[in-house]
Amino acid sequence: MKRLLTGTAAVAAATLGYAAGIERRRFTLRTAELPVLARDARPLRVLHVSDLHMLPGHTAKQRWVASLAELEPDLVVNTGDNLSHAAAVPAVLRALGPLLDFPGLFIFGSNDYFGPKPKNPARYLFESEENRKHIHGPPLPWQDLRAVFIERGWHDLTHTRETITVAGQRLVVAGVDDPHLHYDRYSEIAGKPDADAALRLGITHSPEPRVLDPFASDGYDLVLAGHTHGGQLRVPGIGALVTNCELDRSRARGASRWGSDMWLHVSAGLGTSPFAPVRFACPPEASLLTLVPRGSTSADQAGESRFNAGIGVR
């Protein structure tokens, strides 16, 4: 029995060491092909970044995110939770600065508005509204981040619907404020988007079904979201244990269909709370999504995706 307990403790310690010391720094590029464009549209390459949870000292993360500019995407979409510290705005801009040269869209999440606070991580193992209730930390300087993003040409889609041109193609794009904080007001963007657009794209931080359903009903082709961290701790063969929202665990990361016509892509994100700096079977990620016309590829079967792990962009 003593040997068993000793062995169990050693395995637990090694797992924790890996989750905290190795995997949370194993920055990974996910790639996927999604059939969401109009049938006569040309493919678009969209870089989806989310949940940086940046601290000033996260220099390796800053370098890796900045290197994603080598991918030369047609569009960058940032689905929030950039900050984890009041002094982290310069660090976020060092990371995202090279990407601001490309067309971009953004909304904010709870950890743009408020800093993290210590909490019992076990509370997330029990799915209930009370356990998911957000505990506000100190206010964060999200307005400074917004000002730079807008100055560099990115579009703030907080309760906004716009028509933009990307790579010579017309897109309808819309977003809501963070549903995790109950800041969302879908009624402000409700209505059928232009059916003749090459793509009708929605963005939200937390992929709450109460937001996804009206996007689908209004005829959007694709919604991008973050927030879940992919579960952050995943059990091989089982997947995510929690999503920290009403989304089912099978959709905690990656692409899936929402209804008959809309696709959902959830990023597992690039960071963690500084008070729970661990990941297991769920490396930090950004996603390069190749959007193709509907009916033109095996991606219709989908969400087919792959990981390219490592510090460099492959």
Side-chain angles (χ1 to χ4, degrees):
M1 177 60 73
K2 183 177 180 180
R3 287 183 178 179
L4 177 60
L5 293 175
T6 300
T8 300
V11 169
T15 300
L16 180 61
Y18 170 79
I22 297 176
E23 181 152 329
R24 73 182 180 94
R25 295 184 176 93
R26 190 164 62 89
F27 304 114
T28 298
L29 181 67
R30 177 194 286 270
T31 61
E33 189 174 88
L34 300 178
V36 295
L37 299 182
R39 291 186 181 272
D40 59 349
R42 297 184 301 278
L44 289 173
R45 285 157 41 93
V46 175
L47 180 66
H48 183 191
V49 295
S50 195
D51 297 86
L52 273 73
H53 291 283
M54 192 71 77
L55 294 175
H58 285 168
T59 55
K61 185 191 300 183
Q62 293 163 38
R63 290 192 300 271
W64 190 84
V65 174
S67 74
L68 294 171
E70 298 171 15
L71 297 169
E72 298 185 346
D74 297 308
L75 179 68
V76 181
V77 178
N78 180 327
T79 50
D81 271 11
N82 297 277
L83 301 169
S84 272
H85 193 281
V89 169
V92 171
L93 295 177
R94 281 192 292 274
L96 295 177
L99 294 172
L100 293 172
D101 292 332
F102 301 94
L105 314 172
F106 69 94
I107 39 87
F108 288 130
S110 57
N111 281 135
D112 292 302
Y113 298 124
F114 302 103
K117 291 190 71 174
K119 63 189 78 171
N120 177 8
R123 66 198 289 267
Y124 290 122
L125 296 177
F126 303 96
E127 292 280 13
S128 72
E129 184 63 27
E130 180 62 26
N131 284 345
R132 287 193 299 271
K133 187 176 180 180
H134 187 74
I135 301 172
H136 290 324
L140 294 176
W142 61 272
Q143 299 96 330
D144 297 343
L145 206 56
R146 180 181 184 273
V148 177
F149 286 173
I150 290 175
E151 181 181 294
R152 295 288 298 276
W154 280 16
H155 297 257
D156 181 358
L157 291 188
T158 304
H159 296 141
T160 299
R161 184 169 70 181
E162 299 182 17
T163 299
I164 64 173
T165 300
V166 173
Q169 303 186 88
R170 191 159 48 88
L171 315 183
V172 177
V173 295
V176 295
D177 208 346
D178 185 15
H180 185 59
L181 293 177
H182 296 277
Y183 284 1
D184 54 299
R185 298 191 299 277
Y186 188 86
S187 60
E188 296 193 18
I189 60 167
K192 301 288 185 181
D194 185 353
D196 293 329
L199 174 69
R200 293 155 296 183
L201 173 66
I203 65 173
T204 178
H205 176 63
S206 179
E208 297 288 353
R210 71 171 186 271
V211 171
L212 301 177
D213 286 343
F215 270 124
S217 294
D218 277 344
Y220 282 81
D221 303 301
L222 172 65
V223 171
L224 303 184
H227 178 68
T228 65
H229 296 190
Q232 192 164 321
L233 303 176
R234 297 174 67 93
V235 177
I238 296 176
L241 299 178
V242 295
T243 62
N244 195 23
C245 64
E246 294 294 335
L247 188 73
D248 55 284
R249 292 183 295 107
S250 67
R251 304 174 192 263
R253 72 177 182 193
S256 61
R257 286 191 181 275
W258 190 268
S260 59
D261 298 314
M262 192 176 85
W263 283 85
L264 168 68
H265 183 267
V266 179
S267 171
L270 283 154
T272 67
S273 165
F275 301 108
V278 293
R279 279 181 176 261
F280 188 78
C282 190
E285 70 173 44
S287 301
L288 183 66
L289 307 176
T290 300
L291 309 186
V292 298
R294 292 184 289 273
S296 66
T297 169
S298 60
D300 277 301
Q301 299 170 4
E304 291 295 330
S305 61
R306 64 180 184 275
F307 288 105
N308 297 321
I311 294 298
V313 177
R314 300 181 183 178

